[in-house]
């Protein structure tokens, strides 16, 4: 995470001061960074925590880096610091090199010192420190607060008090701030930062409280101050404002521990949130699938603890976008294994729309696809269930999920209101009015009278050569009929041999979404707003769907809209009217 975490202190002599800060370096350390070690007899002191390797390394104290810099340094002047012997405004001694942690996973370095080395960063941290301990405070002066702007960065600040028996009011004021330029990222990290920084504060306050209680037990300051004669305010302070945090907590390793905590905080906060590509609102197919899963979950919960009642065998189960098959006890839907080899049947399937078009022929496929898109009933009569199922799996890709109602295989005819895809065994009789209807298409799968009816695509698909596919309808699509626009685009994609099957599938997804968006506009215009027919015709012309087949397609696809979208649209449109009626 590209941020800076700093510990700030309000000194009674010099005001807000930065005590300790940790920043992220994505590039190598400055040339002044040496490889010498300072722990003990110049031995490297390393400790592993959370994949971060911490080591104290010597760094050159140039005027732009050192804590004891001259007037050209971004750090404060010596006259603005507390006495070096007391270190009230200091964290690290003048010759201390600071702390550096190496993240082995990302090759990022976390560097801790009293002030940032870069002058611009020093200015940003300095301003955030002043604001966190002066004007930007929360009620009670303890707690989190957010402030900042685009120029100086955004700040998450948490102010708190540390007990000090020698301080005015027996406590000193500190803050831990997190500064970064990404406002949204910082706000989204608020709960994480609040919990972790609150833990660091609790640990500091706990250590300081133990020292405070021990000092009060040995020499109570409250009674001593009450017994002391009145003296001027400046004389009362007597240098007590310069007491260091290590003295208040009695922890000589305080800054090393804070470095480890701040480095882990930056690493963990940066890894918990990741960028993700959003592809927009969920598609209608996704919404319908979610609704179907919710319905199935409710049904399964209702079945728990109760006996499942059997449905009549004459009524096959059908669910929109899904399919269930059921046969009567008298008739088995499994073909005779002696005449149909199982492995042979697995090869008798359609692999894609392009494959089906090559098998059926261009004219027969166009007729079949036209009826599918118009919402007419598509009937397949075949002995091979796998073949029928594969045909439905391929054809349903041209429709939104909400428009698909399948009975994959049945031993009797089912009406069109129950399903628009119906698989039948060869012996089932279809009513004559259905065969002559313009709202149904029949595909009969017969034994081929001659071999090689179509060129095979793969060597293992010879089984389809044994079939002959006859497509008939009471209203055959004329060759010169324009048809719906989406059908022409689908055929153009299928005939383009430069497009792979996967690319054609993505084209279908895009085409369906394009026309579902037109369906949404038409639904709101006609069903919600109740516009007159003249306005509807103008809208259809604007949408490029004024032709008869396009209008029929839009009306059929309107039945595939999700309940979520319809209810949301109704509530959104009607809410202003209801509010006006109340007024």
């Amino acid at each position: 995470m590209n941020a800076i975490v700093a510990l700030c202190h309000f000194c009674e002599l010099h005001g807000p001061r930065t005590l300790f800060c940790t920043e992220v370096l994505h590039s190598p350390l400055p040339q002044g960074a040496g490889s010498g070690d300072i722990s003990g007899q110049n031995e490297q002191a390393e400790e592993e925590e959370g994949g971060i390797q911490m080591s104290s390394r010597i760094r050159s104290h140039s005027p732009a880096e050192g804590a004891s810099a001259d007037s050209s340094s971004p750090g404060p002047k010596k006259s603005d610091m507390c006495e070096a012997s007391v270190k009230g405004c200091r964290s690290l001694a003048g010759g201390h090199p600071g702390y550096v942690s190496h993240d082995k996973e990302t090759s990022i370095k976390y560097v801790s010192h009293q002030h940032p080395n870069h002058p611009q960063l020093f200015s940003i941290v300095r301003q955030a420190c002043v604001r966190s301990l002066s004007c930007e405070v929360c009620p009670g002066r303890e707690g989190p607060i957010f402030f900042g702007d685009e120029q100086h960065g955004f700040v998450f600040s948490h102010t708190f008090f540390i007990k000090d028996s020698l301080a005015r009011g027996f406590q000193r004021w500190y803050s831990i701030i997190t500064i970064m330029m990404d406002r949204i990222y910082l706000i989204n990290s608020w709960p994480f930062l609040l919990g972790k920084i609150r833990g660091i504060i609790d640990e500091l306050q706990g250590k300081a409280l133990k020292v405070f209680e021990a000092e009060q037990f040995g020499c109570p300051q409250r009674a001593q101050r009450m017994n002391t004669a009145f003296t001027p305010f400046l004389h009362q302070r007597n240098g007590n404002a310069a007491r260091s945090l290590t003295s208040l907590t009695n922890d000589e390793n305080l800054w090393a521990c804070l470095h480890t905590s701040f480095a882990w905080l930056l690493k963990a906060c940066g890894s918990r949130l990741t960028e993700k590509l959003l592809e927009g609102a969920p598609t209608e197919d996704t919404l319908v699938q979610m609704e179907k899963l919710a319905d199935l979950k409710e049904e399964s919960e209702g079945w728990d603890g109760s006996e499942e009642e059997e449905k009549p065998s004459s009524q096959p189960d059908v669910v929109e976008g899904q399919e269930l098959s059921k046969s009567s006890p008298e008739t088995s839907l499994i073909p005779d294994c002696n005449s149909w080899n199982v492995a042979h049947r697995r090869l008798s399937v359609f692999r894609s729309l392009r494959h089906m078009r090559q098998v059926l022929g261009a004219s027969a496929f166009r007729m079949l696809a036209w009826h599918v898109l118009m919402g007419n009933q598509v009937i397949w009569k075949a002995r091979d269930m796998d073949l029928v199922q594969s045909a439905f799996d391929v054809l349903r890709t041209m429709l939104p999920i909400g428009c698909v109602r399948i009975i994959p295989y049945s031993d009797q005819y089912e009406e069109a209101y129950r399903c628009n895809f119906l698989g039948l065994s060869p012996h089932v009789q279809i009513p004559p009015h259905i065969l002559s209807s313009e709202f149904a298409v029949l595909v009969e799968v017969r034994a081929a009278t001659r071999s090689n009816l179509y060129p095979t695509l793969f060597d293992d698909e010879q089984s389809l050569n044994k079939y002959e596919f006859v497509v008939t309808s009471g209203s055959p699509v004329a060759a010169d009929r324009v048809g719906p626009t989406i059908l022409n685009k689908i055929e153009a994609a299928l005939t383009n041999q430069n497009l792979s099957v996967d690319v054609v599938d993505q084209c279908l997804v895009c085409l369906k979404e394009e026309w579902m968006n037109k369906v949404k506009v038409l639904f709101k215009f006609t069903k919600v707003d109740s516009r007159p027919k003249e306005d509807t015709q103008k809208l259809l012309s604007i949408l490029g769907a004024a032709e008869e087949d396009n209008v029929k397609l839009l009306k059929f696809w309107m039945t595939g809209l999700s309940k979520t979208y319809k209810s949301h649209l109704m509530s959104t449109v009607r809410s202003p009217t209801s509010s006006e009626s109340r007024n």
Side-chain angles (χ1 to χ4, degrees):
M1 182 175 71
N2 292 325
I4 297 178
V5 182
L7 173 66
C8 306
H9 164 54
F10 188 89
C11 178
E12 295 184 1
L13 290 177
H14 307 108
R17 286 291 181 267
T18 304
L19 285 182
F20 193 75
C21 68
T22 302
E23 58 181 316
V24 179
L25 292 182
H26 295 271
S27 58
L29 286 173
Q31 295 181 357
S35 59
D37 303 319
I38 66 168
S39 177
Q41 298 293 329
N42 289 338
E43 294 178 357
Q44 186 177 12
E46 297 182 352
E47 58 182 89
E48 298 282 347
E49 177 172 329
I52 300 179
Q53 183 182 24
M54 188 190 76
S55 60
S56 299
R57 298 188 179 275
I58 292 179
R59 306 176 60 198
S60 64
H61 295 283
S62 62
E65 289 182 316
S68 58
D70 57 6
S71 59
S72 64
S73 169
K77 298 179 180 179
K78 290 183 178 180
S79 59
D80 293 338
M81 303 290 287
C82 293
E83 296 180 4
S85 59
V86 188
K87 306 177 183 177
C89 290
R90 293 182 182 273
S91 57
L92 305 178
H96 198 287
Y99 300 93
V100 180
S101 293
H102 303 266
D103 188 349
K104 298 178 180 179
E105 298 177 356
T106 59
S107 300
I108 293 177
K109 297 180 177 65
Y110 300 90
V111 181
S112 294
H113 34 67
Q114 176 136 3
H115 306 101
N117 298 325
H118 196 281
Q120 185 177 1
L121 292 180
F122 172 83
S123 176
I124 292 175
V125 174
R126 171 64 178 166
Q127 185 181 59
C129 171
V130 173
R131 293 181 65 179
S132 69
L133 293 173
S134 58
C135 56
E136 305 289 352
V137 294
C138 61
R141 301 184 68 187
E142 272 193 305
I145 194 170
F146 179 88
F147 59 89
D149 53 57
E150 296 288 347
Q151 181 179 359
H152 300 96
F154 299 93
V155 183
F156 171 87
S157 172
H158 197 303
T159 53
F160 60 99
F161 290 104
I162 292 291
K163 285 292 185 180
D164 182 5
S165 60
L166 301 181
R168 188 163 51 120
F170 300 102
Q171 59 186 10
R172 299 192 184 278
W173 202 18
Y174 291 84
S175 70
I176 295 178
I177 58 176
T178 303
I179 312 168
M180 66 184 311
M181 303 303 295
D182 193 335
R183 176 176 61 89
I184 300 300
Y185 197 105
L186 187 59
I187 291 176
N188 290 334
S189 302
W190 175 288
F192 176 81
L193 292 174
L194 179 60
K196 302 307 177 183
I197 292 179
R198 185 67 251 178
I200 297 174
I201 293 173
D202 290 342
E203 185 176 356
L204 292 175
Q205 290 178 333
K207 293 179 179 180
L209 182 60
K210 292 180 180 179
V211 176
F212 174 79
E213 291 176 347
E215 292 177 349
Q216 287 293 87
F217 179 79
C219 182
Q221 292 292 319
R222 186 179 299 275
Q224 181 179 354
R225 294 183 185 183
M226 293 179 64
N227 295 331
T228 302
F230 174 78
T231 55
F233 171 70
L234 293 176
H235 179 69
Q236 274 190 14
R237 291 190 292 179
N238 195 23
N240 291 336
R243 197 174 184 189
S244 66
L245 186 59
T246 54
S247 175
L248 295 178
T249 59
N250 192 25
D251 186 0
E252 295 298 331
N253 297 321
L254 175 66
W255 305 119
C257 294
L258 281 180
H259 166 77
T260 305
S261 299
F262 288 173
W264 179 90
L265 185 68
L266 290 171
K267 176 180 172 63
C269 190
S271 59
R272 62 179 292 271
L273 294 179
T274 57
E275 293 183 351
K276 193 173 185 180
L277 177 63
L278 298 180
E279 299 180 356
T283 62
E284 282 299 304
D285 285 355
T286 303
L287 292 176
V288 172
Q289 286 177 333
M290 294 170 60
E291 292 174 356
K292 299 307 175 184
L293 290 176
D295 294 341
L296 290 176
K297 185 177 180 181
E298 292 180 0
E299 292 179 5
S300 62
E301 291 176 354
W303 292 339
D304 292 341
S306 62
E307 295 182 358
E308 182 180 358
E309 298 181 359
E310 295 184 358
K311 297 182 180 180
S313 59
S314 60
Q315 296 293 333
D317 299 330
V318 58
V319 182
E320 291 185 3
Q322 305 174 15
E323 64 275 349
L324 298 172
S325 62
K326 196 169 187 178
S327 62
S328 61
E330 294 81 4
T331 305
S332 175
L333 299 183
I334 303 177
D336 185 6
C337 292
N338 294 328
S339 58
W340 299 96
N341 182 268
V342 175
H344 198 193
R345 288 190 292 109
R346 289 178 180 173
L347 298 177
S348 307
V349 294
F350 294 102
R351 301 182 181 275
S352 63
L353 283 175
R354 178 177 290 170
H355 181 200
M356 178 178 288
R357 186 174 185 273
Q358 292 182 353
V359 172
L360 300 182
S363 60
F365 175 81
R366 180 177 177 83
M367 179 192 303
L368 179 61
W370 183 88
H371 284 279
V372 170
L373 293 172
M374 294 294 106
N376 298 335
Q377 190 175 40
V378 178
I379 306 172
W380 279 67
K381 293 183 67 175
R383 185 183 299 274
D384 191 345
M385 286 191 302
D386 290 343
L387 178 64
V388 176
Q389 182 65 60
S390 68
F392 290 162
D393 290 341
V394 168
L395 291 173
R396 67 187 297 176
T397 59
M398 292 191 292
L399 293 178
I401 292 180
C403 296
V404 177
R405 301 183 308 279
I406 298 179
I407 296 180
Y409 212 76
S410 176
D411 58 355
Q412 66 178 15
Y413 172 76
E414 297 294 335
E415 295 293 339
Y417 73 89
R418 287 184 53 81
C419 60
N420 56 338
F421 292 97
L422 175 62
L424 299 175
S425 58
H427 68 274
V428 176
Q429 296 295 324
I430 301 177
H433 70 279
I434 299 297
L435 295 175
S436 60
S437 173
E438 61 178 341
F439 302 108
V441 60
L442 173 63
V443 181
E444 294 184 271
V445 183
R446 305 171 182 173
T449 57
R450 52 198 174 104
S451 60
N452 296 328
L453 292 178
Y454 72 97
T456 58
L457 301 178
F458 303 96
D459 294 337
D460 60 349
E461 292 186 359
Q462 299 293 335
S463 58
L464 282 179
N465 278 338
K466 299 183 179 182
Y467 296 125
E468 182 179 2
F469 300 89
V470 180
V471 183
T472 58
S473 174
S475 176
V477 180
D480 57 347
R481 188 167 182 174
V482 178
T485 304
I486 189 174
L487 175 59
N488 300 326
K489 292 184 177 181
I490 290 175
E491 284 196 313
L494 295 178
T495 55
N496 189 348
Q497 297 299 324
N498 294 325
L499 302 181
S500 65
V501 175
D502 294 335
V503 175
V504 172
D505 291 341
Q506 293 303 316
C507 290
L508 282 175
V509 173
C510 296
L511 288 174
K512 287 192 294 183
E513 280 303 301
E514 176 188 353
W515 281 83
M516 282 304 292
N517 290 332
K518 297 180 180 182
V519 169
K520 292 177 181 179
V521 175
L522 183 62
F523 175 81
K524 182 182 182 303
F525 201 81
T526 57
K527 304 297 183 181
V528 180
D529 298 342
S530 300
R531 299 295 184 91
K533 292 183 178 180
E534 294 78 8
D535 293 343
T536 303
Q537 289 298 327
K538 294 180 181 179
L539 174 66
L540 291 173
S541 300
I542 295 174
L543 295 177
E547 295 79 7
E548 180 183 0
D549 285 346
N550 287 329
V551 175
K552 291 181 179 179
L553 182 142
L554 292 176
K555 291 182 178 179
F556 168 57
W557 283 30
M558 199 178 294
T559 61
L561 288 174
S562 62
K563 298 177 183 177
T564 304
Y565 173 79
K566 291 180 180 179
S567 59
H568 171 73
L569 188 60
M570 292 293 186
S571 60
T572 304
V573 173
R574 293 176 180 175
S575 55
T577 306
S578 59
S579 61
E580 291 177 1
S581 61
R582 294 193 192 100
N583 297 333

